[in-house]
């Protein structure tokens, strides 16, 4: 049985694509056959984050419109076995995506024995975002510890619960997960940033992970390597834990406490 | 807290402010966007019918309100009975 997992947020720039790339890669590393699809028609970026931007020939819209087969459009990752990328169209109109078209693509991925389909949602709550989440079985809602991001995440949670295929057809609701990104324990400790507890109290959704603010994320996107492949980095390890939790493992949260500072940094302030 | 921070004085806790503002606006927006609000008028009408089997009350005597307190939904019923009490 293949599972459709949407990565969404409402607000832009919180780390949806970074998260989609790392979760898809992490699932494939664990032996699952995974496709990750960019739903941001007109503004594709997943290809860059995955490092496959020069290998895009056909895209999601080509497949939906029957101009290419799924097998022609799926880009096979060169690092990880069983990982495939489906890029968004850069030239087509946003209205090129339809509910039937997306269903067709997801159904053929199921027929091809994919275990997971990760849908990277565009920002906003327009058609692209609605289609990315419509057929989802599980949702990872990404939020920064910042007011506008949390508000938009809450709006998105409401839409997942009311406007998805599962909601409309009275099926078991989409399983929702909260992923907090760009978290800074120092700033939370100083009362400059909402804490994880604050965010959980407001959003009331189970936490699947906390990704610390980390220089590794920009380094990874510069290089076109999903940050989860940077096993030495805090963010990479946090994503790896997140994937394990998505698969039902009980992993304690890491990188939530302030590291002890040395004498000099304490003297002069961090 | 280094020496510099010590001399700068304590900063106000903006995280607390963020949380309080979010709790208010999100409670408000959830109430507006909730599809479950659609059943309230029907619930009100049916409650009115049931109560009327026992007590004669006015059309506007039943008020139903759905609120949210933290992560708990609160259904508030306000039924005004006539001063004379039951008809029997």
């Amino acid at each position: 049985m293949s599972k459709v997992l949407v990565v969404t947020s409402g607000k832009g720039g919180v780390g949806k694509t970074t998260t989609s790339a790392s979760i898809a890669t992490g699932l494939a590393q664990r032996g699952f056959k995974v496709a990750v699809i960019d739903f941001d028609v007109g503004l594709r970026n997943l290809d860059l984050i995955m490092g496959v931007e020069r290998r895009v020939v056909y895209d999601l819209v080509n497949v939906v419109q029957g101009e290419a087969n799924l097998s022609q459009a799926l880009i096979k990752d060169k690092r990880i076995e069983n990982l495939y990328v489906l890029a968004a169209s850069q030239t087509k109109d946003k209205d090129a995506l339809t509910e039937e078209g997306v269903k067709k693509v997801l159904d053929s991925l199921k027929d091809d024995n994919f275990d997971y389909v990760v849908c990277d949602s565009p920002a906003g709550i327009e058609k692209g975002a609605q289609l990315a989440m419509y057929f989802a079985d599980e949702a990872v809602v990404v939020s920064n510890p910042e007011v506008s991001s949390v508000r938009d995440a809450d709006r998105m949670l409401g839409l997942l619960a009311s406007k998805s295929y599962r909601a409309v057809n009275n099926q078991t609701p989409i399983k929702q997960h909260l992923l907090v990104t760009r978290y800074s324990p120092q700033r939370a400790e100083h009362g400059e940033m909402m804490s994880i507890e604050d965010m959980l109290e407001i959003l009331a959704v189970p936490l699947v992970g906390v990704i610390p603010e980390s220089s590794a994320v920009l380094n990874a996107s510069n290089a076109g390597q999903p940050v989860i492949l940077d096993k030495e980095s805090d963010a990479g390890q946090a994503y790896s834990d997140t994937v394990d939790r998505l698969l039902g493992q009980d992993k304690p949260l890491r990188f939530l406490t302030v590291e002890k500072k040395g004498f000099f940094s304490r003297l002069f302030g961090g | 807290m280094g020496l510099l921070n010590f001399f700068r004085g304590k900063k106000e806790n903006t995280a607390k402010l963020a949380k309080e503002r979010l709790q208010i606006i999100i409670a408000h927006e959830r109430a507006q966007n909730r599809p479950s609000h659609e059943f309230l008028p029907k619930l009100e009408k049916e409650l009115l019918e049931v109560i009327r089997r026992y007590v004669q009350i006015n059309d506007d005597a039943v008020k139903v309100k759905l609120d949210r307190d933290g992560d708990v939904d609160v259904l508030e019923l306000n039924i005004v009975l006539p001063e004379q009490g039951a008809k029997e």
Side-chain angles (χ1 to χ4, degrees):
Chain A
M1 254 312 279
S2 86
K3 247 187 201 174
V4 179
L5 190 135
V6 63
V7 177
T8 185
S9 69
K11 191 176 180 302
V14 298
K16 282 181 297 295
T17 302
T18 297
T19 298
S20 300
S22 277
I23 287 180
T25 304
L27 287 168
Q29 280 177 320
R30 284 155 183 76
F32 296 101
K33 189 174 177 187
V34 183
V36 54
I37 307 179
D38 190 347
F39 275 79
D40 205 345
V41 174
L43 287 171
R44 79 168 169 228
N45 275 318
L46 179 69
D47 54 338
L48 268 180
I49 301 301
M50 291 294 297
V52 299
E53 70 277 7
R54 295 182 52 168
R55 296 168 57 208
V56 179
V57 182
Y58 294 111
D59 56 56
L60 176 62
V61 174
N62 292 138
V63 179
V64 165
Q65 297 186 336
E67 295 158 359
N69 296 329
L70 191 57
S71 56
Q72 291 174 296
L74 284 173
I75 305 164
K76 191 178 186 327
D77 191 273
K78 286 183 172 166
R79 298 157 294 214
I80 313 287
E81 191 74 13
N82 286 331
L83 177 59
Y84 296 83
V85 180
L86 185 50
S89 173
Q90 191 67 317
T91 50
K92 301 276 170 115
D93 193 67
K94 262 194 264 185
D95 298 323
L97 285 186
T98 59
E99 214 170 278
E100 305 79 60
V102 172
K103 187 174 190 308
K104 196 181 80 179
V105 172
L106 293 176
D107 284 344
S108 7
L109 286 168
K110 280 178 193 180
D111 292 341
D112 283 352
N113 298 316
F114 276 87
D115 298 302
Y116 282 91
V117 180
V118 178
C119 301
D120 181 20
S121 173
I125 53 172
E126 301 299 315
K127 201 173 172 194
Q130 284 172 21
L131 285 174
M133 64 91 153
Y134 191 72
F135 295 104
D137 301 305
E138 295 194 28
V140 172
V141 176
V142 183
S143 179
N144 296 162
E146 176 273 328
V147 285
S148 52
S149 169
V150 174
R151 180 200 212 168
D152 289 0
D154 189 75
R155 185 89 169 85
M156 214 59 226
L157 289 166
L159 291 173
L160 286 164
S162 62
K163 298 279 161 68
S164 62
Y165 179 86
R166 283 174 172 270
V168 173
N169 292 284
N170 282 321
Q171 295 181 0
T172 330
I174 293 178
K175 193 172 177 192
Q176 300 177 336
H177 307 273
L178 175 66
L179 180 71
V180 179
T181 53
R182 307 197 67 168
Y183 187 67
S184 163
Q186 287 87 349
R187 302 186 72 188
E189 192 170 88
H190 293 164
E192 299 168 10
M193 179 183 269
M194 280 182 282
S195 67
I196 299 300
E197 293 75 33
D198 291 341
M199 292 184 68
L200 286 173
E201 197 181 321
I202 294 165
L203 294 172
V205 171
L207 184 69
V208 74
V210 177
I211 313 300
E213 172 80 56
S214 166
S215 55
V217 174
L218 183 58
N219 280 329
S221 79
N222 286 343
Q225 298 266 4
V227 70
I228 197 169
L229 293 176
D230 184 354
K231 295 194 173 85
E232 304 298 312
S233 70
D234 46 1
Q237 291 173 26
Y239 270 118
S240 186
D241 288 355
T242 300
V243 172
D244 287 334
R245 286 188 207 104
L246 275 175
L247 292 169
Q249 285 184 42
D250 189 19
K251 285 250 167 171
L253 290 163
R254 293 192 276 171
F255 316 110
L256 291 192
T257 47
V258 182
E259 281 169 48
K260 288 268 186 298
K261 286 181 188 167
F263 172 75
F264 283 102
S265 61
R266 275 159 70 145
L267 187 62
F268 297 109
Chain B
M1 287 298 145
L3 278 179
L4 287 175
N5 277 349
F6 180 78
F7 289 118
R8 261 186 236 142
K10 206 170 185 293
K11 267 188 257 169
E12 69 173 314
N13 189 328
T14 53
K16 197 162 156 254
L17 200 60
K19 184 183 170 188
E20 286 165 2
R21 289 174 61 219
L22 273 171
Q23 280 174 324
I24 292 166
I25 190 66
I26 283 180
H28 179 73
E29 287 176 346
R30 277 183 190 163
Q32 278 188 331
N33 292 322
R34 196 131 31 135
S36 58
H37 266 204
E38 289 159 15
F39 70 75
L40 288 183
K42 194 158 176 255
L43 177 67
E44 210 170 87
K45 189 168 158 272
E46 287 179 20
L47 278 172
L48 192 69
E49 285 165 13
V50 172
I51 293 164
R52 273 190 177 158
R53 286 185 209 154
Y54 307 94
V55 186
Q56 206 46 49
I57 51 173
N58 289 334
D59 282 357
D60 58 355
V62 176
K63 288 270 175 279
V64 182
K65 222 172 104 189
L66 194 57
D67 266 326
R68 201 173 172 88
D69 186 6
D71 51 357
V72 182
D73 282 328
V74 179
L75 184 66
E76 191 181 308
L77 288 184
N78 195 352
I79 303 163
V80 183
L81 296 179
E83 280 178 26
Q84 299 301 324
K87 64 178 171 183
E88 281 175 291

